[in-house]
Amino acid sequence: MSLSLIWAQARGGVIGRDGDIPWQVPEDQAGFRRLTKGHAVIMGRATWDSLPERFRPLPGRLNVVLTRDPAWRAEGATVAHSPQEALAAARAWNAEATEDAEATEGAQATDREVWVMGGGAVYATFLPMASRLVVTEVDLDVPGDTFAPAVGPQWLPEAGQSEDWLLSRTGTRYRFVHYRRAEPEPVM
């Protein structure tokens, strides 16, 4: 099981403002769906709350919600009260899927990824455990109150990716940057 973080950020590392994303890049949302579908996603309660109700839980994924509130519950959410609980829930879900695949004749078991999808404090918590980052850079200056973690020297851009900007159908420039940890893989 590998742990990856995924986010979109404007200049200055802004990822959110007032519980929302302050831009629209549908191509980024499509990329998010493509990468995370069939995998576990871990998010904070505020990120869960920011999702439109019609998309909660995110379909085709295990939705793990990290919260300090012991009474919090939501339909379709697997509640975790610590990073360790969140990872344990993802591991259990992955193990169950592997057993189901092995029990089905001709099916192949796959190693599902675990994706951390926000917010800022949740990214900071899981960054030391991650082996991969998928960052959409959005070419905008916008005010914000939630920021991405700093991508330090232990992260190297994956070879062969384009540095060219793409143009969203909304007129906003963006690009995808994938990073791999340069140092040995963290132990989860």
Side-chain angles (χ1 to χ4, degrees), residues 43-178:
M43 68 193 91
R45 189 219 25 93
T47 297
W48 171 271
D49 289 343
S50 75
L51 298 172
E53 281 191 48
R54 69 183 185 276
F55 295 121
R56 289 191 310 230
L58 294 173
R61 289 156 269 217
L62 174 69
N63 287 239
V64 180
V65 179
L66 195 55
T67 179
R68 289 184 209 100
D69 182 352
W72 188 87
R73 299 283 179 267
E75 188 174 333
T78 298
V79 178
H81 300 291
S82 71
Q84 295 76 19
E85 279 186 39
L87 291 171
R91 276 191 200 95
W93 188 69
N94 286 348
E96 184 179 306
T98 299
E99 288 173 12
D100 290 348
E102 289 171 352
T104 306
E105 192 172 322
Q108 279 197 338
T110 59
D111 186 26
R112 291 179 168 171
E113 281 188 81
V114 177
W115 291 93
V116 175
M117 58 174 279
V122 175
Y123 287 131
T125 298
F126 284 97
L127 185 65
M129 298 176 254
S131 57
R132 181 178 177 211
L133 308 177
V134 174
V135 179
T136 303
E137 295 179 346
V138 179
D139 192 23
L140 293 174
D141 282 314
V142 295
D145 54 24
T146 309
F147 297 87
V151 177
Q154 72 273 31
W155 296 99
L156 298 176
E158 290 182 358
Q161 61 185 326
S162 173
E163 293 182 19
D164 295 340
W165 289 97
L166 304 168
L167 188 62
S168 170
R169 68 177 190 235
T170 63
T172 302
R173 290 180 358 135
Y174 69 98
R175 64 182 169 198
F176 300 111
V177 184
H178 295 226

Side-chain angles (χ1 to χ4, degrees), residues 23-33 168-172 174 176:
W23 58 80
Q24 286 292 320
V25 178
E27 297 84 355
D28 173 55
Q29 294 167 333
F32 172 85
R33 279 190 303 276
S168 170
R169 68 177 190 235
T170 63
T172 302
Y174 69 98
F176 300 111

